[in-house]
Each structure stands twice: as structure tokens, then as C-alpha cells.
Amino acid sequence: MPEGNGTVALAFSGGLDTTVCVPLLKEEYGYDDVIGVTVDVGQPEYEFDEAEETAEALDVEHFVVDAKAEFADLCLRSVTANADYQGYPLGTALARPVIATAILDVAKEQGCSAVAHGCTGKGNDQLRFEAVWRDSDLEVIAPVRELGLTREWENEYAAEKDLPVEGGDGGRYSIDTNIWSRSIEGSELEDPGTIPDDDIYKWTENPDGKESELLEIEFEDGIAVAVDGEELNSVDLIQTVNETAGAHGIGRTDMMEDRMLGLKVRENYEHPAATVLLTAHEALEGLVLTQEERQFKAQVDQQWSHKAYQGLIDAPIVEALEGFIDSTQERVTGTVTVKLEGGHCRPVARDSEYAVYSEEAASFDSEDVTGGIEQKDATGVAKYHGFQSRLAKQVTAKVKANKENEAVADGGDPESQE
Ligand code: ARG
């Protein structure tokens, strides 16, 4: 048995993958000791209990780091970029750099020589974790990927070693939950043609028969700060909106996702607060940003979201994109009322002192536009509008007619000449 490599800090959930990693890090990689680190980004309580119990049974020192507030702040910041990737508001993706950084901090504090994760070689998370970790001097280890482990092999190994894993994988699906989203994958859901059972959802209820509800979100510099007039910190705000909107069945996404390695996978998510806050934020931008700002920002937002999906929110380009985003968000201050109804959320009112809107100008009732402009001043604009298109069509028609005339004069059939 190799040994003498010191201590390795393992990203630990207490699930099958990370549980089998513990003996393997000693047996296969020669580490003397393994510590487990679980980072709290808003998982349900039972996940911490499971991690704690499993760590104890494995005789692994277990650290829990609370990164909820930091993560919730990042989620609200992602809303300033209207962040979504192919329709998914990036819950898992945004959490990974936060988790990886917290684990690295513990590893350094505890004098570890390496960090390890239990991700497979097929997903995105291996890349997101390692992007953070490889920016340090510590060794990076990915046992599941490097040893080519399968669930079947892991289950057999766990049984043979008498490792504390209940029923193998702890459930039918692979679930990743944090404050921003709940992701459900695996089992029959992998087949894009399967209609999921309603019971895969835990945050969103069937809205049939539920009466609609209005919710007012207040933004300050693009950041949601209050709900229905009550100021809340980022964690409480997201949790409150998750509960309220979840009761209306808002925020279910069933999609094909293009992973970083090129695999196309079927994913199911629920994210009530993300849907509501993104909808409200976009509605407020519609009121306060100019047309060209909105058009250009859509491209900036897409780039930001793509880097976030890759787990690269530390990249220099992200800082540059945020320079633009932040300068627009100074005016994204005000309130938006959304209507929650039948699984959908739509803006029904918005209000801001930065509104690029003049009632006098837009109204059908007043003669004056604004700044002394009158209705009839638009006549010149109307005459020019579409001028190029009209001219292009006229020129084409003229050239065609000339050619036809020439062909007739030559005595041939214009159609057969070419
Ligand atoms: N595919 C998503 C992403 O890469 C989420 C994966 C979540 N993992 C899970 N075991 N459900 O961001």
C-alpha cells in the first residue's frame, strides 16, 4: 500500500461516489489521511445529516462551511446579467466555484497536500472544481474519473469493504439542490422521450385550482432587496420567493442541455425564485434602459452566462463584462409587480424614477410629444421610412424590364435566354 502523501481534502456529500473515494484515496493514491468538506449552499438539512453520519462511520474528520450568504449574493448578482444557459438559471454552475474555493481554503488551513472530488469524467462539475483548484499548488485528484469507476463497481466495492452506503445510491435520481435551483437527473429521465412523474418535483406544486397572486419585487442597482415592501437579506429573499412562487408551480424547466464536453443531456430543474426574479428584473430593464443598451446587453448577458456555466466567473472577460453590466444597473432601481398564476409568472406593473418614459410623449391624448416636437414633425420621418427598400425594389424591377425588352428586340424568348 503506497503511503506518505499527507492529507487530502475531499469534497464530501456522503453519497456513494464520495464515500468510496475515502478508502481509494488511501489505497490507490497513498494518502495517509482524508478529511471531508461539505459546503452549505442551501442544501436540505438531511444532506448534512447524511454527510455527518457517513463521515463518522468512515472515521473521517468532517468540516462544514457555511457559504449560503455568499452564494445567495452571487445568485442575485447573476440576475443583473439576466443569467441563464439554454433556459437554465445556472444553480449548480454558480455554486461550484463557491464550493471549490471554500474547500481549498479548508485544505490550506488544515495543511493538506491535495484536494479531491468524486465527479465523473462525463459532467461539467469536474471542470468547474478543477478550474479553481488548479490555480493552487495543491495536487488535484479525481478518483472516479481517473480509475474509471462505474456505479456498479462502486456498489460492489462498498459492499465488500462494508462502507456506510444505504441502498447504494440513496435514491432513483441524482439530485443537486442549492438555494437557487434543484436539479433532477438520471434513471428514466435520461431518456428525452420519457414524461417525468410529477413526484420528481419538491419545490413546485401542481397549480391547478390555485388562485393567482401578485408579488412586488423591489430592486436597487439591479439587485433584489425587498418583497412586498419587506426588506430581506439575499438568503431570506430567495427562500421567500421560492416558497411563494413554488406554490404556483412556477419555475419548472425540462430541457436538453449541451454540456461542456459536448454531451447532450436531458435535464429537469425547478427554480421558482430564479424565474420570478429574472422575469421582474428584465421587466425593469425594459423600463429604464435605452433600446440600444438592451440590445447590446443581451449579448453581454449571454457571454456572462456562458462563462458562469463553465464555472469561470473569475475570468478576466467576466470582469470586463461586469463593467458594462454594472454601469447599466445603476438605473435598474424601482419595483416590478408580477402575477403568479397557473405555473407562470408575468410582469403586470413596473415603476422607477429612472423610467425612460414620458407619459406626455407616448399618450394618444396629448398633442405635444416632448421638447417642442409635434405630431406633424413625424411626416418627414414617415416619408423617408423604408426609402432604401422602395428604391431597391424599383431598381430591380427596372433592370428586369430592360432585359426583357432587349430580349424581345433580339427576337428570342426572354425565358430561354440566360
Ligand atoms: N447539468 C447541470 C450543470 O451542469 C446540473 C447538474 C446537476 N447534478 C445532478 N447530479 N443533478 O450545471
Side-chain angles (χ1 to χ4, degrees):
M1 187 190 284
E3 56 181 40
N5 283 339
T7 303
V8 50
L10 171 67
F12 192 73
S13 69
L16 179 65
D17 290 317
T18 54
T19 298
V20 300
C21 281
V22 172
L24 289 173
L25 284 165
K26 294 181 183 171
E27 289 166 11
E28 299 293 327
Y29 291 89
Y31 285 91
D32 307 303
D33 214 352
V34 180
I35 61 168
V37 188
T38 307
V39 181
D40 184 355
V41 282
Q43 302 90 314
E45 217 33 65
Y46 67 82
E47 287 193 19
F48 297 101
D49 297 341
E50 181 180 297
E52 190 64 56
E53 282 162 27
T54 312
E56 216 175 281
L58 287 165
D59 199 20
V60 158
E61 192 179 356
H62 187 218
F63 295 79
V64 178
V65 183
D66 184 357
K68 268 205 302 293
E70 184 193 339
F71 178 56
D73 287 351
L74 176 61
C75 294
L76 293 188
R77 201 149 62 77
S78 80
V79 174
T80 66
N82 298 307
D84 106 312
Y85 175 79
Q86 299 184 332
Y88 147 55
L90 298 163
T92 298
L94 289 169
R96 293 306 178 258
V98 174
I99 294 172
T101 305
I103 292 171
L104 189 61
D105 288 346
V106 173
K108 286 178 183 164
E109 266 163 37
Q110 298 299 314
C112 295
S113 49
V115 273
H117 62 69
C119 305
T120 71
K122 291 189 178 178
N124 294 322
D125 286 344
Q126 51 173 340
L127 307 178
R128 297 170 179 149
F129 275 122
E130 293 181 34
V132 174
W133 290 349
R134 290 186 187 278
D135 194 20
S136 79
D137 296 334
L138 273 62
E139 202 63 45
V140 176
I141 306 166
V144 177
R145 178 183 73 203
E146 288 158 8
L147 303 172
L149 308 186
T150 61
R151 300 292 280 181
E152 201 185 336
W153 186 91
E154 289 178 5
N155 274 314
E156 276 170 28
Y157 177 78
E160 192 185 298
K161 291 262 163 186
D162 201 18
L163 299 177
V165 283
E166 277 166 50
D169 59 10
R172 206 151 110 224
Y173 307 114
S174 164
I175 311 244
D176 182 60
T177 310
N178 60 49
I179 197 169
W180 202 231
S181 72
R182 186 170 169 272
S183 141
I184 315 115
E185 53 181 36
S187 200
E188 80 279 1
L189 299 177
E190 283 174 359
D191 175 359
T194 316
I195 300 174
D197 282 344
D198 250 13
D199 67 9
I200 68 163
Y201 301 112
K202 292 282 176 275
W203 288 7
T204 50
E205 284 164 40
N206 184 332
D208 292 350
K210 171 109 179 149
E211 226 178 279
S212 70
E213 191 177 346
L214 297 178
L215 201 65
E216 188 200 72
I217 313 288
E218 185 180 337
F219 291 89
E220 237 176 70
D221 298 340
I223 301 288
V225 292
V227 177
D228 280 343
E230 191 187 346
E231 269 186 44
L232 296 165
N233 66 41
S234 55
V235 175
D236 292 344
L237 189 141
I238 294 170
Q239 263 160 1
T240 302
V241 181
N242 265 337
E243 276 162 35
T244 311
H248 292 270
I250 289 161
R252 289 183 181 176
T253 299
D254 182 332
M255 64 182 287
M256 294 310 298
E257 184 175 310
D258 292 297
R259 282 192 189 158
M260 280 186 259
L261 293 177
L263 292 175
K264 214 179 244 311
V265 283
R266 196 268 188 89
E267 293 279 1
N268 278 277
Y269 296 102
E270 40 186 357
H271 39 75
T275 297
V276 168
L277 297 173
L278 287 165
T279 302
H281 178 265
E282 212 175 350
L284 192 54
E285 285 195 335
L287 181 68
V288 303
L289 300 186
T290 61
Q291 188 265 343
E292 62 263 41
E293 281 178 312
R294 291 170 75 184
Q295 200 177 5
F296 185 66
K297 188 166 183 294
Q299 298 171 47
V300 172
D301 290 348
Q302 204 189 2
Q303 287 295 326
W304 194 97
S305 302
H306 191 236
K307 296 317 282 181
Y309 185 72
Q310 294 177 309
L312 299 176
I313 47 170
D314 253 359
I317 189 171
V318 173
E319 206 182 322
L321 295 169
E322 285 176 354
F324 175 80
I325 293 171
D326 291 349
S327 86
T328 61
Q329 297 306 291
E330 285 168 13
R331 282 171 283 138
V332 187
T333 296
T335 59
V336 174
T337 304
V338 292
K339 188 169 192 172
L340 313 177
E341 189 176 37
H344 296 284
C345 157
R346 66 192 167 89
V348 290
R350 64 288 271 158
D351 185 43
S352 168
E353 56 180 336
Y354 293 100
V356 184
Y357 168 78
S358 152
E359 193 176 339
E360 208 183 24
S363 171
F364 297 116
D365 298 332
S366 102
E367 175 56 26
D368 194 12
V369 176
T370 198
I373 306 171
E374 295 171 24
Q375 265 202 70
K376 63 176 188 300
D377 292 329
T379 306
V381 179
K383 284 182 180 169
Y384 269 111
H385 190 59
F387 171 72
Q388 275 200 356
S389 307
R390 286 197 295 275
L391 191 57
K393 281 191 281 187
Q394 284 162 14
V395 168
T396 311
K398 208 162 119 192
V399 172
K400 218 170 154 193
N402 282 346
K403 281 192 178 164
E404 276 171 11
N405 287 341
E406 277 167 26
V408 171
D410 289 350
D413 173 4
E415 294 296 307
S416 64
Q417 303 271 314
E418 271 307 297

